[in-house]
Amino acid sequence: MALTILTAGLAACGLLLLLWSVAEAMLLPLPREDAVLIAPLQGGAAEVERQIRGCRWMREHRGLRAQIIWIDRGLTPEGQEAAARLLRDAAGEQLCAAGQAAEYLERLGAFEA
């Protein structure tokens, strides 16, 4: 009896997850390929690695197609080394100082109408 209830509960959860995924895919549009995501980076190597890997997971598994501009908002020396290492061969990702972000966006043509 308990096994039947457990199986039914797991089946209901699975069906709910499937419906949620389909609804999300149909209702939440993905950004265009020319979109730009601006994300701050701060802290040490562990925080930097977590933030960069999180955005990369979104690119690989959730279909994020935007270019990513990482803004240095107070990286420690270890954080700067980790960011340089992780972004060395990254396509579509750039690390900028806080004052360089507008200049980089202008080069991308982000301010053109």
Side-chain angles (χ1 to χ4, degrees), residues 33-44:
E33 289 185 24
D34 61 347
V36 177
L37 173 68
I38 300 174
L41 272 181
Q42 57 190 8

Side-chain angles (χ1 to χ4, degrees), residues 87-107:
L87 298 175
R88 185 174 300 129
D89 297 324
E93 295 183 54
Q94 178 74 31
L95 177 64
C96 295
Q100 295 174 327
E103 178 184 318
Y104 187 74
L105 286 170
E106 285 178 10
R107 278 189 279 145

